[in-house]
Amino acid sequence: MIKEEALNKTIRRLAMPIISTLVASVAVIASPSPALAGGCSWGPCGEAQNNSPWTIHTTEVLGTPGPHWCDVWNGDGGTTPSWWHTTCEQKTLAPGNHRGGGNVDVDAVTFADRDYVVKVRGTLVGWKTKGVWTRLHDYEHVVCFKNSNGDPMCEVFFSIA
């Protein structure tokens, strides 16, 4: 009995740091976190291509101190609403221009002056109100364009490294 208790104490003593690390890792992965300003955590950086006839806005510092506020409908970068009201730095991107990739990481896009349609990784999400941001991950790119109905649309794809 004493040997069994000693063994159980040793197992608990050795296992607790591992369990604590696993719990902390799950908490970090599961929670919305600020995007990495000025870089990517791995793989290709997020990028935006404006193929529309209208100006779009991008941010590279979503969730880090910035002079503006962004209301992101998909704070986790998914296809369902997970609203995130956060600081950002908004930059305009004129028609026909590109931003991101390499060492520049675009974190989100919006049309500031018009409602727009969003499609994320093949899922048609629907209309978003002007000024509402769509988040993308480091390994994704977004193309904004005028769709066949003449509406502004942004489509998020996986980037190919």
Side-chain angles (χ1 to χ4, degrees):
M1 179 89 161
I2 294 175
K3 286 182 181 181
E4 185 177 322
E5 284 179 22
L7 180 61
N8 285 339
K9 284 183 181 179
T10 301
I11 290 172
R12 279 194 302 272
R13 181 178 54 81
L14 295 173
M16 286 312 292
I18 295 169
I19 292 169
S20 297
T21 300
L22 288 173
V23 169
S25 297
V26 168
V28 167
I29 291 169
S31 64
S33 60
L36 296 174
C40 309
S41 58
W42 65 276
C45 286
E47 54 187 309
Q49 175 66 42
N50 186 3
N51 290 342
S52 81
W54 309 286
T55 297
I56 65 171
H57 286 74
T58 67
T59 184
E60 300 160 25
V61 291
L62 192 62
T64 58
H68 307 115
W69 287 95
C70 289
D71 288 316
V72 185
W73 71 268
N74 63 335
D76 63 358
T79 59
T80 57
S82 58
W83 288 93
W84 186 21
H85 177 71
T86 187
T87 55
C88 63
E89 181 179 351
Q90 301 176 15
K91 296 181 178 180
T92 59
L93 186 61
N97 285 297
H98 172 270
R99 178 174 292 133
N103 291 327
V104 176
D105 183 24
V106 173
D107 297 324
V109 298
T110 191
F111 282 92
D113 62 349
R114 63 193 68 238
D115 296 350
Y116 65 107
V117 180
V118 175
K119 191 172 187 178
V120 177
R121 295 182 297 279
T123 300
L124 183 60
V125 177
W127 283 92
K128 296 301 164 198
T129 305
K130 63 183 176 183
V132 170
W133 292 77
T134 298
R135 184 173 183 186
L136 55 147
H137 295 287
D138 290 352
Y139 51 87
E140 294 176 326
H141 70 275
V142 61
V143 177
C144 296
F145 57 96
K146 181 163 74 169
N147 69 16
S148 60
N149 295 327
D151 300 318
M153 183 169 183
C154 290
E155 188 165 359
V156 178
F157 301 91
F158 287 116
S159 292
I160 299 173

